[in-house]
Structure formats: structure tokens, C-alpha cells
Amino acid sequence: MAADNQRGALFRNTAPHQHSRVTYAELFFDLVFVFAVTQVSHTLLGRLTPPGLAQTTLLFLAVWWVWVYTSWITNWLNPELTPVRILLFALMLGGLVLSTSIPQAFETRGLWFALAYAAMQVGKTVFLWVSTPRWRTPARMNAIRITAWLSASAVFWIAGGFAEGNSRLLLWAVALGIEYLSPAVRFWIPKYGASEVADWVVEGGHMAERCAGFIIIALGESIVVSGATFAELAWTLETVGAFASAFVGAIAMWWIYFHKGAEAGSEQISRSSEPGRLARLAYTYLHMPIVAGIIVSAVADELVLKRPAGHSGPATVLSAIGGPLLFLLGTILFKHTIRGFLQLSHGVGIIALGLLAWFAGDLSPLTLSIATTAIMIIVAVWESLAGIGGNTGSVRDHRRMNRRLQDALWKARRKERRGCERRQAKQSCAPLKRAATRSS
């Protein structure tokens, strides 16, 4: 088997420029994180205080990080093979323990959360290390470096599980800081140094599709939460309006992300000469605010459904404005990384949300929800119209590139012409020089 696959027996055997599809085993694994995202949103809903926000943010960052690391592992390894499938199923069990521990992670189930998280992170990286052939030295050293960093963070996770209160929050924040810093410093360790970006060989199309799948998970969770809440309420004009606003808002978010960004990202990372660097920035880091924005918007939808009338409280304003704002900030940075320019529509949407925040407290929750949904619809429509007329930024970039190529070609031809003229001049002067030499 190893002879048939030059990358290693358990690694994906992808031909150049070939897109590796997302396997059914990976989709099955993702079902656990539907539950995890639901747990995070429900925990946030019950803890809309400064300490609660800090705790829920940490839990969300942990859930995202354990999922995205698994996506990197399955980008390298082949989930169609039995050992890798068993790894994913074991990670699913760990993910269930992790997810069920989220609501009480800062109370009675902190140690369970920490043990599940550390076991998932270190376990799958050790599996990658053992699965990497010895003759693939750069990839093997990369796995060793990652294992070293995750093992260091695991100490703080487990120590935090034994601690209580603010001590647990501090220890877990240190653990999470270690893990989020590690890719930025390319997993540097003493004696062996840092890994090269070239060692992070990723199949770009697969990575883009995996992250797009997580966006679908988050959007689907928001619709499920809204539907479940709406089913338990009396169907009045206000609750129907709130549910319609939540549903249309989710569609607008889907449109903003998938209409251009997802496909452009997949194409760009597939053509990139450094797909590992692009995957680290665009998909590992910049997708976090996008997913966080969807989760916070789901919390806002539930708050509005339960209390659509009256003045909007601080929690409703924070979630109703903060969710779309996080989402647009994430998408504008993601698309800037992919396309090389900032989306004007997204920038206008961010400014509009900022202006709306000034008087949001005077609006009813339903009116505030409709206003934020209207802003997201405007951004989505603007994005579509820009696509119909041709992407202005993209056309401008192509024209600029064409001009540069034409200038470079013209300079090369002029240089070549001058060289020919010099050679011709030397050849025409050669008989005169020889005659002058003979006469002297």
C-alpha cells in the first residue's frame, strides 16, 4: 500500500490539481459539532453577563479549534481507510463528552471538558505522528512539533479542570493562547526550530469545503433554534414577524458567504503556491468571527422571539447588533485575503450596523431585528448586483495585471531591440577595425 501511495499508507493520494472530496465519515463526524454549536449558543443565552461572555467565548474558541485541527488532520489522512475512520469515530465520542460538558464546564464538569479536549487534540496528533512514514522527514517533524505544543497546552487544560472559578478561566485561557499562538510561530520548538510553510501541504479545495460545511452547521443550528422556540409560542403577528426576520436573516448570511466568497476561496487556495499559509489565515483564523457571528445572531433571534415588544434590553442590543457585525467583519477580512480587496458592500453594512447601535435601545426587539435583517439583505443584494455587472474590484485587478504584463513585455522587447542594435553595430564596425589594424 505504501508503494502505491508516495505520501504514506494512510495519507490521501491526490494527483496534482485534483480536488479531494469531503468523505461521508467526515460529514458523520461533523454531526457532533451541530450539537456542540447548539450547546454553545444555549450557554451564551443563559450567561449574557461580562463573566458569562468571557466563559462562553473561551468555550466557543475551544470548540472551533478542536474541529479545525481535525479538518487539517483529515486533509492529510484518508478517511476512507479503516484506521482513520476509527480515529474519527473515537474523536466523535470525545466530542460528545466535550459537548455535553459545555453548559457546566465552569461548574461541575470542568475536568470532563478538559480531559475530553486534551485527549482529542493530543490523541489525533500522535496518530498523525505515528502514521507519517520516517522517510517523510519534514511532515514527521511537523507532527512532532504540533504534538509538543498541544501536550504543553494539555497541562493547563487539565490543571484548569481541577481548579475553580477565575483560576479555571485563567488556566484555560493560557492553554488556548498556547494553541492559537502555535501556528503563528510555525510550531517552533527548541533544538528543531520552526516548520516551513511548505511542509503544510494541504489540498485547498477540501479545506475550503470543510470550512464551508461548518458555516452550514452554524446556520442550520440557528434555524433549528428559531424553529423550536417559535413552535412553543403563541402565533401572534409579532412572533410570526420575529420568526420571518430570523429566517430571512439566516438566508442573507448564507447568500453573503456562499454567493461569491466560498467558491472564490476554493479556487484561490487551489491555485495558491503556498496553500498552507492561506489555509492558516483565511480558514483557521478568519472563519472564527464568521461562525461566532452566526451563533450570536441565533441568540438574538431567540431573545426577540420570546419578547418581541417593548424596549430592547442591553442583551438584545448586544446580540442583535454584535452577531451581524462579527459576521460581516469576518467575511470582509476573509474575502480580502482571497480576492485582495475590501468589499464595499460589507463595509457599508458594518457602518450601518454601527449607526444603528446608537439608538437600538429605543427600538422594540422586533423592529431592531427587522432593521438588522434589512441591512444584511442590502449587503447580499449589493453583492449579487456587483456579480451581475462583473466584479468591479476583480476587473480592476485584471486590468492592472494586464497593464503590468504589457509594460514588462514592452520593456523586454525594447531591451532585446537595443541589444540587437548593439550587436549589429559591432558587426558593422568589425571590418573597419580589422582594416585599421592591418594599416597600422
Side-chain angles (χ1 to χ4, degrees):
M1 188 180 295
D4 297 333
N5 186 352
Q6 296 301 315
R7 300 183 67 193
L10 297 183
F11 280 70
R12 289 179 182 265
N13 190 13
T14 44
H17 308 295
Q18 178 182 340
H19 174 65
S20 296
R21 68 177 183 86
V22 176
T23 63
Y24 296 123
E26 291 171 282
L27 296 174
F28 190 35
F29 167 81
D30 287 349
L31 291 177
V32 172
F33 285 85
V34 176
F35 180 43
V37 169
T38 303
Q39 292 285 74
V40 170
S41 63
H42 285 173
T43 303
L44 177 60
L45 185 63
R47 305 188 183 203
L48 287 170
T49 61
L53 287 174
Q55 293 173 358
T56 310
T57 299
L58 189 146
L59 294 173
F60 162 71
L61 292 176
V63 168
W64 169 255
W65 210 239
V66 74
W67 180 87
V68 82
Y69 260 56
T70 306
S71 296
W72 278 82
I73 296 292
T74 54
N75 189 276
W76 293 324
L77 301 179
N78 185 3
E80 297 287 5
L81 300 177
T82 299
V84 183
R85 283 183 175 177
I86 294 174
L87 170 67
L88 282 176
F89 297 154
L91 292 174
M92 287 177 69
L93 177 59
L96 283 172
V97 175
L98 183 84
S99 300
T100 52
S101 303
I102 286 174
Q104 297 295 318
F106 284 92
E107 286 82 26
T108 58
R109 294 188 179 177
L111 184 58
W112 282 104
F113 181 90
L115 288 172
Y117 184 91
M120 291 177 72
Q121 290 290 74
V122 176
K124 65 192 172 194
T125 315
V126 171
F127 184 92
L128 174 67
W129 177 4
V130 174
S131 301
T132 306
R134 292 185 178 276
W135 50 266
R136 291 193 64 202
T137 305
R140 189 175 178 84
M141 284 305 306
N142 195 32
I144 293 173
R145 291 185 181 96
I146 298 173
T147 303
W149 278 83
L150 294 181
S151 298
S153 68
V155 174
F156 290 93
W157 281 111
I158 296 172
F162 283 105
E164 295 181 357
N166 291 331
S167 298
R168 177 176 295 176
L169 180 64
L170 178 61
L171 287 168
W172 283 359
V174 171
L176 210 55
I178 291 172
E179 296 193 22
Y180 272 76
L181 177 65
S182 57
V185 298
R186 292 182 286 125
F187 302 100
W188 180 93
I189 57 175
K191 186 179 178 180
Y192 296 104
S195 62
E196 298 295 332
V197 176
D199 298 338
W200 303 351
V201 180
V202 297
E203 203 290 291
H206 175 267
M207 180 63 72
E209 190 175 342
R210 292 291 284 128
C211 288
F214 202 92
I215 299 296
I216 291 292
I217 288 174
L219 287 170
E221 188 275 338
S222 69
I223 292 175
V224 168
V225 168
S226 298
T229 305
F230 181 58
E232 297 176 354
L233 299 173
W235 289 11
T236 64
L237 184 62
E238 289 81 6
T239 56
V240 171
F243 177 72
S245 178
F247 179 68
V248 174
I251 292 175
M253 285 184 170
W254 182 93
W255 200 279
I256 291 168
Y257 180 85
F258 284 97
H259 180 61
K260 288 291 183 182
E263 183 179 353
S266 179
E267 293 177 356
Q268 181 65 23
I269 194 172
S270 297
R271 295 195 305 263
S272 175
S273 59
E274 291 185 325
R277 186 187 299 275
L278 188 59
R280 180 185 64 180
L281 177 59
Y283 291 100
T284 303
Y285 288 114
L286 294 183
H287 267 62
M288 285 186 298
I290 299 176
V291 177
I294 296 172
I295 293 174
V296 174
S297 296
V299 171
D301 294 337
E302 189 164 356
L303 288 172
V304 173
L305 276 165
K306 290 180 177 179
R307 188 175 176 272
H311 289 288
S312 298
T316 303
V317 172
L318 182 64
S319 56
I321 299 291
L325 191 63
L326 278 172
F327 179 83
L328 288 180
L329 283 172
T331 51
I332 195 173
L333 293 174
F334 166 64
K335 291 180 182 180
H336 176 264
T337 303
I338 296 300
R339 299 181 181 180
F341 61 91
L342 295 173
Q343 299 289 125
L344 181 59
S345 59
H346 295 47
V348 171
I350 291 170
I351 294 172
L353 288 169
L355 294 174
L356 180 62
W358 284 103
F359 53 89
D362 298 328
L363 303 175
S364 69
L366 177 57
T367 304
L368 178 59
S369 175
I370 292 173
T372 56
T373 298
I375 291 172
M376 300 301 285
I377 290 173
I378 291 171
V379 175
V381 171
W382 191 335
E383 181 90 346
S384 298
L385 293 177
I388 292 173
N391 193 311
T392 306
S394 180
V395 171
R396 189 184 301 116
D397 288 345
H398 283 303
R399 289 175 178 173
R400 188 182 298 115
M401 185 180 295
N402 287 335
R403 285 197 297 269
R404 289 177 181 173
L405 289 173
Q406 291 173 0
D407 290 343
L409 184 60
W410 179 77
K411 290 178 181 178
R413 288 176 177 174
R414 185 176 63 176
K415 185 176 181 180
E416 183 180 0
R417 186 166 55 249
R418 287 180 177 177
C420 291
E421 291 174 353
R422 292 194 190 98
R423 288 193 296 271
Q424 290 174 359
K426 288 180 181 179
Q427 290 174 359
S428 61
C429 292
L432 296 176
K433 289 182 180 179
R434 286 196 295 270
T437 303
R438 284 195 295 268
S439 63
S440 62

